[in-house]
Amino acid sequence: MKPDSVQFAGEVASIVSQIPAGYVLSYGDVAALASFPSHARLVGKILGNIGMSSSVPCHRVVNADGRPAPHWNMQRKLLEAEGVEFKPNGNVIMQKYRWNPPIAE
DNA sequence: AAGTTGACTTAAA
DNA sequence: ATTTAAGCCAACT
């Protein structure tokens, strides 16, 4: 099934909105939760689109390394405000702050 | 229509 | 540690 941008965006927005403060999720994870494990890149694009005009906490979504988006600077600061710690190299401590999502079906 | 790009991921050099 | 390669697939040019 092809991901309708509307549906996919809706799923992504819904999932990202459910991320509790102090936790992060990778694009791949969000994509997988949205039922499209191979559209991690699309998640980023969608967040870029909706994040500017929606209440979706797009700052809680990072890449698989736990590193904030390459285009957006304040993200790290926002995560720090959520209580997320960073490694000296600038990566989030994923093994500790990676959100454990509810078992979806 | 065809080629390029990218807020990705994993692996390898 | 960093860079490259390749897989990935919708959106963009």
Side-chain angles (χ1 to χ4, degrees):
Chain A
M1 143 185 193
K2 271 184 188 171
D4 297 286
S5 32
V6 180
Q7 177 189 337
F8 192 58
E11 291 294 303
V12 171
S14 178
I15 292 161
V16 175
S17 300
Q18 290 168 52
I19 303 176
Y23 282 86
V24 297
L25 222 56
S26 70
Y27 296 97
D29 287 344
V30 175
L33 292 171
S35 309
F36 290 98
S38 43
H39 290 113
R41 313 169 101 130
L42 274 298
V43 175
K45 190 176 317 207
I46 289 163
L47 288 178
N49 289 322
I50 69 179
M52 288 184 62
S53 312
S54 299
S55 344
V56 178
C58 39
H59 60 270
R60 292 187 193 146
V61 184
V62 291
N63 65 359
D65 296 320
R67 189 167 88 146
H71 300 297
W72 194 17
N73 306 302
M74 56 188 258
Q75 181 170 19
R76 171 164 171 175
K77 204 166 186 189
L78 291 169
L79 288 172
E80 289 179 317
E82 298 285 315
V84 178
E85 296 179 275
F86 283 72
K87 295 184 180 177
N89 59 334
N91 292 191
V92 175
I93 306 172
M94 300 273 303
Q95 51 176 11
K96 188 170 178 181
Y97 293 102
R98 190 147 131 97
W99 179 42
N100 187 354
I103 303 162
E105 40 194 314

